[in-house]
Each structure stands twice: as C-alpha cells, then as structure tokens.
Amino acid sequence: MKSEKPIKEEEIEEKMNKGKMQVKRVLFRIKPKILWLLPLVIFLIVLPLGRYPLNPTDVIILIYSKMFSLETVIDATTSSVLFDVRLPRIIAAMLVGLALSVSGTAYQGIFKNPLVSPDILGVSAGAGLGAAIAIMLSLGMWGVHLLSFAFGLLAVLITYMVSSRVKRGENTIIMVLAGILVGTIFTSLISLIKYVADPFNKLPAITFWLMGGLSSVNFTQLKLIIIPMIIGLVPLYIVRWRLNVLSMGEEEAQALGINTTRLKSVVIISATLLTAAAVSISGIIGWIGLVIPHLCRALVGPNYKNLIPVSIVVGSSFLLIVDTLARVLFPMEIPLGILTSLIGAPFFIYLITRTGRGWK
C-alpha cells in the first residue's frame, strides 16, 4: 500500500528522533562536518612517511611545481618516489577505504543486519576467483584487475538470479543465503586453482593477492576504478536518507510510498560496483565494511543522512592509517588483509561491548 502523498525527508527525521532506531549508548557525539577535515590531516601527515622518508618541504615544492609545470631543483629520485609510488598508493588507500565502508553501511541498511559486510553477496569471492584465473593464465596486472572486477559483478548477478527464483520466504534473507552459497562455491574454485597452480610462481602470487595490498598501484590503475566508484557512490549518496525508511521495515517503507524493490536494486548495484572496483585493485581486505559502519553509528547515530558521508570520511582515513602502518611498521610490508583483521576484530569487540546493546 502506498501513501497518497509523497514521502518527505522531514517525516523520516521525526521518526528517527522519536527513538525508533536510536543508538542508546555511543562512544561520543561529534558533528559530521568536523570529520571532513580528518582525511586531509592524515593525508598530510602520512605523505612524507615510508621506507624512503621525504622532506615535507620537498613534498610541498614538488606538488606545487607539478601543478604549475615549473622547474624544480629537487632530485629525480624524490620526485619518482612521491608521484610514482607514494601518492597513487595513498589515494588508492583512501578510495578503497571509502568504497568498502560505504558499501558495508548501505548493505547493513537494506538487510537490517549489523553483521552484514560488503562481501555478503559473494563479490569478494568472485573477484578473488577472477584474479586467480588471471594470474594462472599470466594475463598481467591489467588482466587481474579486469577479471577480478568482472567476476565480482558476476558473483552478485548469480546471487540475484538464484534469490529471484525462490518464491518463498523473505527476499532479503533469501538473497543473503544465496550470497553465502555463491561465495562458498567461488571460494572453493579459488582453492582448486591454488591446488593446481605452480607452487614456485603462480601460487605465491595468488596467495599474496588474496591477502590484500596496494604496493603495485599506480595512477593508470586508479583511472580504471574511478568511474565505477563514482557511478556507485553518487546514487548511494543521493538516496541515503531513504535508507532510514528501509531500516524501519519493508512494510512501513511501502506504506510511506517507497518503492522498496527499486530502492534495493539501486543500493545493491551501487554497493556492488563500489566493492568490485575496490577489490579489483586491492585484493581482499576484510573488516572495513563491517567495523567502520558501526564506528560511524557510534559517532553520529543511525541516521543515514549523516551516516553515509561519515562512512566516506572515516573509511578513507582508517585504511590510509592502516596502509601507512603496513608500509612502515616492519622491515617487510604486511599484507593489508592481515593488518585490518588484527586491528578490526579487537576494535569490533570493543565497539559491540560499548554500544551494541542499543542497536536494533
């Protein structure tokens, strides 16, 4: 049943304020606009850091010279480290972090489940299979990116087709179950490829990619993912306040005039594009899409009007910090998937013990 008048954002704000979805315990409240400074501050701090430390003054001079095509006396090695290695990696970490956190936030909203993460529909397993096939066939880095992106989308497409053929039960639950099954099949195929792969060449490359990392990212690869990320991010940002209605329940959303089927399709397609694009260049990096949405709820509450923008800021900042730690913490670089798990799991335990009792 649809309402006679179109739904208004103010009505949803009023329902949120009445406590239907209030978080009863939070770490602390913070104004969302203040958080927009966080990625910039962290960016400026970590830019000079690395195995080859850069002088902050040299960094400023190089960036200024690059922007205005000026000559500079800074040596070529410093310039190469900054523009060919450090800067694209930092930008990639921010893009991947925001993509995974926003998609995780969106998925948790439409599935009304705080344990949902971006790989719930099998996109990460699909991307992993595509990358494993590309490495097995020696297709090069471009082949790895393209096949991982394509197979990530394929996994979600199969999940949607399987769930759409099941007529019984709640659609969202069926889709989650289908995603788990499809992800299991794709993960088994990855194990099969690893079993038959060359143990001295192909197997280490597949294993290292699956652990996640940004060590080989360059600006050319960033251009490959920026378009699907924009296509995925913009719709989620536009419809973010409507996610509040879905979080209240599908029947209530329909009563308020929301076309839930269309909205879910938009959210799933957009979040899938974000996740597939991120995983295609970074490998499988877990916990960001699960932990960051909960942290953002603890900072600004459950209103998706604020939650999506804050997920962008906190997700990009978090992975930028973790990637910097991976680069500088030990003599040998730690794969990001390992480090995010070591940091994310204990932090998630802390979050749920401090704030989890108030979540619906």
Side-chain angles (χ1 to χ4, degrees):
M1 179 183 298
K2 294 185 178 181
S3 60
E4 296 180 358
K5 60 180 182 179
I7 184 173
K8 294 182 179 180
E9 188 174 346
E10 292 76 10
E11 298 177 12
I12 305 305
E13 293 282 350
E14 184 179 352
K15 286 180 176 293
M16 297 288 292
N17 294 331
K18 285 182 178 179
K20 184 149 188 172
M21 294 175 56
Q22 287 295 316
V23 178
K24 296 177 182 178
R25 300 183 66 186
V26 298
L27 299 178
F28 56 87
R29 292 285 185 180
I30 189 169
K31 293 183 178 180
K33 292 181 180 179
I34 298 178
L35 288 173
W36 284 104
L37 296 174
L38 185 62
L40 177 61
V41 173
I42 296 175
F43 175 87
L44 295 175
I45 292 174
V46 305
L47 190 57
L49 302 179
R51 302 189 191 285
Y52 186 91
L54 301 176
N55 188 312
T57 303
D58 292 344
V59 171
I60 295 173
I61 293 173
L62 283 170
I63 294 177
Y64 182 83
S65 301
K66 190 78 170 180
M67 290 174 59
F68 297 99
S69 302
L70 302 175
E71 295 291 335
T72 177
V73 296
I74 307 299
D75 62 279
T77 302
T78 302
S79 178
S80 178
V81 169
L82 177 62
F83 293 113
D84 298 335
V85 179
R86 190 73 51 79
L87 199 56
R89 177 164 181 168
I90 287 176
I91 295 174
M94 298 177 75
L95 289 176
V96 171
L98 74 87
L100 294 177
S101 60
V102 170
S103 57
T105 301
Y107 277 136
Q108 290 178 11
I110 63 170
F111 291 120
K112 301 183 289 294
N113 189 329
L115 298 179
V116 166
S117 61
D119 57 355
I120 190 64
L121 300 183
V123 60
S124 295
L129 178 60
I133 293 174
I135 295 172
M136 187 77 172
L137 299 177
S138 302
L139 298 182
M141 191 55 65
W142 275 96
V144 172
H145 295 325
L146 292 175
L147 276 190
S148 62
F149 180 75
F151 272 73
L153 298 181
L154 176 63
V156 177
L157 178 61
I158 294 174
T159 297
Y160 178 79
M161 293 174 62
V162 171
S163 62
S164 63
R165 295 181 65 88
V166 178
K167 304 301 182 183
R168 297 181 180 179
E170 188 177 344
N171 187 45
T172 54
I173 296 178
I174 297 299
M175 185 171 290
V176 170
L177 292 176
I180 294 173
L181 294 174
V182 171
T184 301
I185 294 172
F186 276 57
T187 301
S188 299
L189 293 175
I190 293 173
S191 299
L192 179 61
I193 291 177
K194 291 171 67 176
Y195 181 76
V196 301
D198 176 12
F200 300 103
N201 187 16
K202 306 296 184 183
L203 181 58
I206 294 172
T207 302
F208 185 77
W209 191 93
L210 292 173
M211 288 190 293
L214 296 168
S215 58
S216 61
V217 173
N218 54 46
F219 279 118
T220 303
Q221 295 166 359
L222 290 180
K223 293 177 183 178
L224 180 69
I225 68 164
I226 194 66
I227 294 178
M229 279 196 174
I230 292 175
I231 295 174
L233 182 61
V234 171
L236 290 178
Y237 192 86
I238 292 174
V239 304
R240 65 191 188 280
W241 66 273
R242 290 176 178 264
L243 289 173
N244 293 325
V245 192
L246 279 182
S247 300
M248 295 176 185
E250 192 163 340
E251 292 183 0
E252 185 167 350
Q254 291 175 348
L256 289 171
I258 293 290
N259 187 330
T260 56
T261 301
R262 184 172 59 188
L263 180 58
K264 285 181 179 179
S265 299
V266 170
V267 173
I268 289 174
I269 293 172
S270 300
T272 299
L273 280 173
L274 280 173
T275 306
V279 175
S280 68
I281 67 164
S282 68
I284 299 177
I285 301 177
W287 288 94
I288 295 178
L290 177 61
V291 174
I292 298 303
H294 289 287
L295 174 60
C296 294
R297 287 189 187 91
L299 294 176
V300 298
N303 189 339
Y304 281 87
K305 182 181 178 181
N306 297 324
L307 199 54
I308 293 294
V310 171
S311 296
I312 294 174
V313 174
V314 178
S316 60
S317 302
F318 176 78
L319 190 58
L320 183 53
I321 294 173
V322 172
D323 184 59
T324 303
L325 292 176
R327 291 190 289 111
V328 303
L329 203 57
F330 295 102
M332 180 177 293
E333 182 173 324
I334 306 173
L336 281 179
I338 296 176
L339 202 55
T340 54
S341 298
L342 290 175
I343 296 174
F347 189 58
F348 187 64
I349 293 174
Y350 169 74
L351 283 178
I352 61 176
T353 55
R354 287 292 303 273
T355 63
R357 296 178 182 178
W359 285 327
K360 298 295 182 182

